[in-house]
Amino acid sequence: MVNYIKKSSYLKYIVNIVFAAIIAVAFIGLPFDFGISDQAKEYIGILIAMVFMLITGVYDEHIVILLTLSTCVVLNIAPFATVFSAFSGTTMWMVMAILPITVVIKKSGLMNRIALYLLKLFPGSYKWQLLAMSLSSMLLNPLIPSTTAKSGLLASLTASVAEKMSLEKKGKPLTGLFLAVFINGPSLGHIFLSGSVQALLVVGMMPETMAEKFSWTGWFTASLVWAIAAFVLVYIVLLILYSPKESIGLTKNDINSMIKELGPMSQTEKITGILMVFTLIGWITKNYTGIPECVFAILVYAFLHTIGAISNQEFRSDIPWDIWIYVGGIVCIASLFTVLEIDVWLAAAMEPIVRLITHNEIIYLAGLVIIVYLFRIFIVSSIATVTIFYVVFASTAYNLLGISPFITGFLIIAASKSWPTEYTNTNFVTAQAIMGKDAVDFKDAQRMSHVYIAITILAAIISIPYWKIIGLM
């Protein structure tokens, strides 16, 4: 039986890669002059095969990327140093350093403690605790890029608070509390450059001259108005849709007992807190010091490792290195578009199609979000969604409407964080599982996904004057 299962798995992998190869060869063999070099044509064929493999999900994403890049080297699309060049860039070192820091933050319990003290500052009624939980979730964003880690931390905290408030399982108040932390944490994390792997990915795919403008401070400044509008709108909608009819809430004694359960603040928590403040100051002042953000993250990781906050074993086993490979690989793939001048060709080729939603800025912003949302039903990977649609829309929208690739990438990320189906958003599934499968009804939470997309569009429209003022439109 074991051998049979293994053979079935092997067959699945072989069939998938054979189909991918057939697709690539079929495209490369087309007897048409596309107005690009032979190498560029071969590269596009490889990318079409890559997209097929990402959508089918037979291979893990990072394996697909490694196969793609290796194929480029084998076929002499570009030299090895060029193909894998992004792995030496600041984006990759930023991701590499932040991932182990995330492990320490999660393990230390510091964010739970901060969240509970924040809850204590607000009145105990549901509407105030909903606001406090939303703010607590937002606090996690600049420090933790992993949406999976945030989903786990926030769901665990929500479960504890819901228990103290005696919220009924699958009831609207519990669903509202769950959605407040899920949306303001994993879904809105990309308002900070360090709060989302996808945000780092978008910066990595930008032309170098544009990417330089989006330091940690530059990215946050560009997203500020959208972030405020989205936060306020989400809070208002959650109050309208999920507030309890009766008066419920937390007492100060409830919160104090939860804080007491955490025990006294450990030395690791204190050191982690100090280092996080140091890191944020370093990121914010990058434009003045000239020191790349990744250097501060590397120094903090090195110190945490030295004091034993993260061990060698944890560094090897607890960090999702597949994400690091995937992000680096996608940045490499994007850079080859420029090397082979495919970006110029693609912009010209896609212009008639993209023009359908580029009659004006509002139609483009709304159309982009809706298109990504519809495709999100079929594409399970959020990172794959961002990759595919950024490549298709970013440069063309910039050439036709003067809309910065930041705006295109930012809104694609926002739309990719939706949860239109139960299987599409793995972070939602993770958070729901930690809360308890019987705690939150997906159908009740699903309608908020549709509302979230409407909020994404409305916040973008509200941001248009601001984006014009700062030169992004």
Side-chain angles (χ1 to χ4, degrees), residues 108-127:
S108 71
L110 175 64
M111 298 313 300
N112 270 357
R113 191 180 298 275
I114 292 174
L116 289 173
Y117 275 108
L118 189 59
L119 289 176
K120 196 175 179 180
L121 293 176
F122 289 81
S125 64
Y126 181 84
K127 67 178 181 180

Side-chain angles (χ1 to χ4, degrees), residues 381-402:
S381 168
S382 174
I383 295 181
T385 303
V386 173
T387 304
I388 294 167
F389 285 96
Y390 180 87
V391 169
V392 171
F393 286 100
S395 62
T396 307
Y398 179 70
N399 293 329
L400 292 179
L401 290 173

Side-chain angles (χ1 to χ4, degrees), residues 68 71 132 177 201 214 240 246 255 258 283 295 299 364 422 427 433 449:
T68 301
T71 302
L177 205 64
L201 173 61
F214 293 101
I240 294 172
E246 68 281 3
I255 299 174
M258 293 171 72
W283 290 344
V295 173
L299 291 174
Y364 173 72
E422 195 164 6
N427 297 308
S449 179

Side-chain angles (χ1 to χ4, degrees), residues 97-164:
I98 287 180
L99 290 176
I101 292 173
T102 299
V103 173
V104 175
I105 293 173
K106 184 177 179 180
K107 185 176 69 169
S108 71
L110 175 64
M111 298 313 300
N112 270 357
R113 191 180 298 275
I114 292 174
L116 289 173
Y117 275 108
L118 189 59
L119 289 176
K120 196 175 179 180
L121 293 176
F122 289 81
S125 64
Y126 181 84
K127 67 178 181 180
W128 285 108
Q129 291 304 306
L130 186 73
L131 177 59
M133 291 293 285
S134 299
L135 290 171
S136 299
S137 305
M138 196 60 74
L139 278 176
L140 276 176
N141 286 326
L143 301 175
I144 301 180
S146 170
T147 49
T148 303
K150 279 186 284 197
S151 297
L153 281 170
L154 293 168
S156 178
L157 176 63
T158 306
S160 299
V161 172
E163 184 179 355
K164 291 292 182 182

Side-chain angles (χ1 to χ4, degrees), residues 123-442:
S125 64
Y126 181 84
K127 67 178 181 180
W128 285 108
Q129 291 304 306
L130 186 73
L131 177 59
M133 291 293 285
S134 299
L135 290 171
S136 299
S137 305
M138 196 60 74
L139 278 176
L140 276 176
N141 286 326
L143 301 175
I144 301 180
S146 170
T147 49
T148 303
K150 279 186 284 197
S151 297
L153 281 170
L154 293 168
S156 178
L157 176 63
T158 306
S160 299
V161 172
E163 184 179 355
K164 291 292 182 182
M165 294 177 74
S166 300
L167 298 181
E168 181 184 352
K169 291 183 176 181
K170 293 191 176 181
K172 285 188 176 181
L174 176 54
T175 302
L177 205 64
F178 170 80
L179 288 171
V181 297
F182 178 76
I183 294 173
N184 288 291
S187 296
L188 297 187
H190 66 292
I191 65 176
F192 300 97
L193 181 61
S194 56
S196 168
V197 172
Q198 287 90 337
L200 292 165
L201 173 61
V202 165
V203 171
M205 290 192 293
M206 285 182 185
E208 191 172 343
T209 53
M210 291 186 181
E212 290 174 354
K213 300 176 183 177
F214 293 101
S215 61
W216 192 93
T217 307
W219 182 279
F220 179 66
T221 300
S223 67
L224 184 59
V225 171
W226 187 94
I228 294 171
F231 181 87
V232 172
L233 290 170
V234 166
Y235 177 69
I236 292 172
V237 171
L238 289 176
L239 278 181
I240 294 172
L241 295 180
Y242 298 99
S243 287
K245 294 180 180 180
E246 68 281 3
S247 177
I248 58 175
L250 284 176
T251 66
K252 297 296 181 185
N253 288 336
D254 290 331
I255 299 174
N256 286 331
S257 67
M258 293 171 72
I259 293 173
K260 189 176 181 180
E261 288 173 6
L262 293 177
M265 194 171 187
S266 66
Q267 185 179 14
T268 300
E269 282 182 273
K270 294 175 183 177
I271 294 174
T272 302
I274 293 170
L275 291 176
M276 291 306 96
V277 173
F278 167 76
T279 305
L280 286 175
I281 292 173
W283 290 344
I284 292 169
T285 59
K286 185 255 184 179
N287 290 341
Y288 302 100
T289 64
I291 302 173
E293 293 97 331
C294 64
V295 173
F296 287 97
I298 291 169
L299 291 174
V300 168
Y301 160 67
F303 188 82
L304 289 171
H305 187 280
T306 301
I307 65 172
I310 180 170
S311 65
N312 285 328
Q313 181 58 37
E314 288 170 324
F315 184 80
R316 298 185 189 107
S317 61
D318 293 357
I319 297 172
W321 291 116
D322 57 320
I323 291 177
W324 185 79
I325 293 172
Y326 185 88
V327 172
I330 289 297
V331 175
C332 291
I333 286 168
S335 67
L336 285 174
F337 270 76
T338 303
V339 171
L340 299 171
E341 298 183 346
I342 296 174
D343 53 346
V344 177
W345 171 81
L346 185 63
M350 292 298 298
E351 185 173 330
I353 298 173
V354 180
R355 275 189 184 277
L356 295 174
I357 61 167
T358 54
H359 296 295
N360 62 49
E361 296 143 347
I362 294 177
I363 292 176
Y364 173 72
L365 298 179
L368 176 66
V369 171
I370 292 170
I371 289 171
V372 174
Y373 186 55
L374 293 175
F375 273 87
R376 190 74 171 96
I377 297 172
F378 308 102
I379 305 176
V380 176
S381 168
S382 174
I383 295 181
T385 303
V386 173
T387 304
I388 294 167
F389 285 96
Y390 180 87
V391 169
V392 171
F393 286 100
S395 62
T396 307
Y398 179 70
N399 293 329
L400 292 179
L401 290 173
I403 294 177
S404 169
F406 161 81
I407 295 176
T408 297
F410 185 85
L411 293 179
I412 291 172
I413 296 172
S416 76
K417 296 296 182 70
S418 57
W419 52 105
T421 64
E422 195 164 6
Y423 63 84
T424 303
N425 194 316
T426 55
N427 297 308
F428 187 96
V429 173
T430 299
Q432 187 183 31
I434 292 173
M435 283 285 294
K437 194 69 174 177
D438 59 341
V440 176
D441 181 42
F442 177 77

